[in-house]
Amino acid sequence: MSKSRTAAILLAAGRGTRMKSALPKVLHRVTGRPMIGHLLDRLAAFQPERTIVVVSPGMPAVAEFVAPAETIIQDPPLGTGHAVMAARKALDGFDGDVLVLFGDTPLLTAETMQSMVNARRAAGDPAVVVLGFMPDDPGDYGRLITDSQGGLQAIVEAKDADAAQREIGLCNAGIMAIDGKRLFDLLDAVGNNNSKGEYYLTDIVAIARSRGWGCTVVETGDPVEVMGVNSRAGLAEAEAAMQNRLRSAAMDNGVTLTAPETVWFCHDTRLGRDVSIEPNVVFGAGVSVGDNVEILAFCHIVGATIEDGAIIGPYARLRPGADIGVNAKVGNFVEIKASRLDKGAKANHLSYIGDSWVGAGANIGAGTITCNYDGFFKSRTEIGEGAFIGSNTALVAPVKIGAGAITGAGSTISSDVPDNALSLTRSPQEDRPGWALKYRLRKQAEKDNLTAGKKKKAG
Ligand code: UD1
Ligand code: MG
């Protein structure tokens, strides 16, 4: 059999009680993606022959999310060794390498997964490779007991460790690469005679050594990578760490971030070259940005496509289906939803554009609203090329404004406007010369009389 075969087992049967949530822990999101989704994405680099997710009963949402990965139910959960054992039947006859991952370590990199598998296949044919790290505070982590040659002798859980073992700084990150031919033999020998009464996966190291099989450690220099999320505070820490990665990646790829720590990306944000993003911009899912785009401060962008050279913001809101064309401009307090702005179109101030098409070079005046919803149905607005929509126009959809047409400021347009026409719905202006001056004089006299009367009374 080829030695390149890998099966991944993701352990996710823990209840995650410290999250205090109805949602299974591994479905909590980091950069908009459930934690376990990040692991599945990284795993895709290996194209493992099998991916098996171990869950507890009553987690249909996890099974649904991880599909087409296979799920296996561990009922009841009796420890990490017991969890891997649950995959025995599914892996019957599999003799490649088994990579065991914890579903709540979303920051684990593909590089580390690869080095684990490489170490498993290294000379000496170790039975087990364990990912080690040196946390600032070893706390509850299992301690790695190594021999003088750097080989791994045993893992001792903190609760079961003696004082000298507790002094060891090198800890078990929880990720292992194990020879599939020996894995289940090793697990058969694991008991539960320990402080938690659980079947520890970690015990397989000492068992392998007792059989004369080698075990080794791969150490990661980045403790953040193996951060396990157990609480909402941990989730926020993982979010911060993952955001930092996305910000660094953006800058590495030629994006200017004036204040990177204030820009929030989504795991799938796509950014072109020479994009510039000012402070306090938030990206939700499904955003794609072309080259040379400027995103000014305080924008909120979700499900939008922004083409080359467009300028967005400050204070713009792009909602799902916003499709901003080349060199188009969306200015302050403009909200755009399910609408296409063609090349060079502009909506610079205070507008709502929904379910619309705006032709090339059209100008949407300040305060323009597409009235796209009648309380029951959504309707479309079409604005032709080069049209000029006067300020504070209400466009009552469905409605079409012809190419090059103009609408007068303050108009309510509810029927189609022909190309190059002017359309306006204003009531006629009436001027009364001198009226304002007379009004002020009359009112001032009234006020003066009243004040004088009050003074007389008081005196
Ligand atoms: C485990 C390791 C410890 C290591 C630490 C790293 C063991 C015995 N200990 O401890 O050496 O330093 O992780 O974070 O392995 N799970 C199941 N079924 C179970 C129990 C757990 O699927 O019956 C899953 C959990 O959902 C979780 C993972 O296994 O994803 C780890 O379980 P957890 O209870 O958090 O282990 P730790 O006590 O943290
Ligand atoms: Mg844990």
Side-chain angles (χ1 to χ4, degrees):
M1 278 288 164
S2 150
K3 289 204 84 187
S4 63
R5 300 168 61 210
T6 307
I9 304 179
L10 274 81
L11 304 193
R15 295 221 160 73
T17 43
R18 278 170 291 171
M19 295 300 284
K20 303 211 168 66
S21 175
L23 188 70
K25 176 164 81 172
V26 296
L27 293 185
H28 279 264
R29 288 167 188 273
V30 174
T31 61
R33 180 132 175 86
M35 286 194 263
I36 199 161
H38 286 285
L39 287 161
L40 292 171
D41 290 347
R42 302 289 95 78
L43 267 177
F46 293 104
Q47 300 187 311
E49 185 175 312
R50 306 284 299 275
T51 297
I52 295 168
V53 183
V54 180
V55 297
S56 336
M59 286 184 167
V62 177
E64 200 175 300
F65 177 78
V66 302
E70 192 178 337
T71 40
I72 285 192
I73 292 176
Q74 183 199 12
D75 186 18
L78 299 176
T80 50
H82 183 256
V84 175
M85 199 57 142
R88 177 179 217 148
K89 236 173 114 189
L91 286 180
D92 192 28
F94 179 82
D95 61 359
D97 296 309
V98 176
L99 187 64
V100 177
L101 307 172
F102 290 174
D104 61 358
T105 52
L107 291 143
L108 190 71
T109 61
E111 291 73 28
T112 298
M113 293 181 191
Q114 187 65 63
S115 36
M116 295 288 294
V117 172
N118 292 347
R120 217 312 292 154
R121 293 169 188 168
D125 192 25
V128 183
V129 177
V130 173
L131 184 62
F133 74 122
M134 300 278 263
D136 290 340
D137 173 15
D140 288 339
Y141 289 113
R143 306 300 202 269
L144 301 187
I145 317 283
T146 48
D147 57 29
S148 50
Q149 286 89 51
L152 182 62
Q153 283 186 318
I155 305 177
V156 181
E157 288 303 292
K159 282 212 173 80
D160 304 296
D162 60 32
Q165 289 167 335
R166 281 174 166 274
E167 289 303 308
I168 296 170
L170 187 61
C171 291
N172 174 24
I175 289 97
M176 292 190 191
I178 307 158
D179 178 8
K181 292 189 287 300
R182 292 176 274 184
L183 170 61
F184 293 103
D185 283 352
L186 290 168
L187 282 172
D188 275 336
V190 171
N192 65 349
N193 185 18
N194 52 51
S195 61
K196 283 169 107 180
E198 288 185 357
Y199 295 88
Y200 291 162
L201 176 63
T202 45
D203 283 356
I204 64 171
V205 171
I207 296 166
R209 290 300 296 251
S210 73
R211 295 182 184 182
W213 296 334
C215 297
T216 56
V217 180
V218 166
E219 194 179 330
T220 167
D222 177 16
V224 167
E225 179 187 12
V226 291
M227 176 197 293
V229 173
N230 295 310
S231 61
R232 306 279 179 154
L235 189 67
E237 272 178 52
E239 178 74 36
M242 189 82 88
Q243 286 293 342
N244 280 336
R245 274 194 195 164
L246 294 176
R247 292 162 187 152
S248 299
M251 291 188 283
D252 286 348
N253 290 325
V255 172
T256 294
L257 301 178
T258 322
E261 68 284 4
T262 68
V263 175
W264 293 82
F265 290 114
C266 193
H267 68 100
D268 64 352
T269 308
R270 283 187 293 164
L271 301 166
R273 293 266 295 240
D274 289 312
V275 168
S276 145
I277 304 173
E278 284 193 353
N280 297 303
V281 173
V282 176
F283 291 88
V287 176
S288 172
V289 179
D291 295 340
N292 299 304
V293 167
E294 270 183 70
I295 301 176
L296 309 182
F298 297 102
C299 290
H300 193 276
I301 303 174
V302 181
T305 302
I306 304 171
E307 293 178 5
D308 297 353
I311 302 176
I312 310 297
Y315 296 100
R317 178 162 185 219
L318 300 184
R319 292 173 50 203
D323 181 3
I324 312 302
V326 171
N327 295 336
K329 198 164 176 295
V330 178
N332 40 248
F333 306 106
V334 173
E335 174 182 348
I336 299 194
K337 187 221 63 168
S339 296
R340 162 76 184 169
L341 265 61
D342 273 355
K343 187 176 175 182
K346 287 184 204 152
N348 275 335
H349 330 268
L350 300 154
S351 273
Y352 172 63
I353 310 292
D355 304 306
S356 302
W357 167 74
V358 180
N363 186 84
I364 310 290
T368 295
I369 304 290
T370 55
C371 310
N372 62 328
Y373 185 50
D374 60 9
F376 295 90
F377 302 105
K378 301 269 171 69
S379 300
R380 283 188 63 75
T381 300
E382 291 185 12
I383 298 171
E385 266 183 39
F388 183 95
I389 307 301
S391 295
N392 208 28
T393 297
L395 297 164
V396 182
V399 69
K400 288 183 188 173
I401 310 297
I406 296 178
T407 68
S411 297
T412 298
I413 306 293
S414 50
S415 54
D416 293 356
V417 177
D419 290 356
N420 296 313
L422 166 70
S423 179
L424 72 172
T425 63
R426 272 185 227 150
S427 38
Q429 183 166 324
E430 179 190 332
D431 295 330
R432 300 183 188 181
W435 188 95
L437 177 61
K438 278 189 241 159
Y439 170 79
R440 273 198 298 277
L441 291 172
R442 176 162 51 85
K443 283 293 181 188
Q444 191 60 50
E446 273 174 33
K447 199 170 183 181
D448 291 347
N449 282 343
L450 209 65
T451 320
K454 269 190 192 151
K455 269 195 188 147
K456 217 170 172 185
K457 228 179 183 181

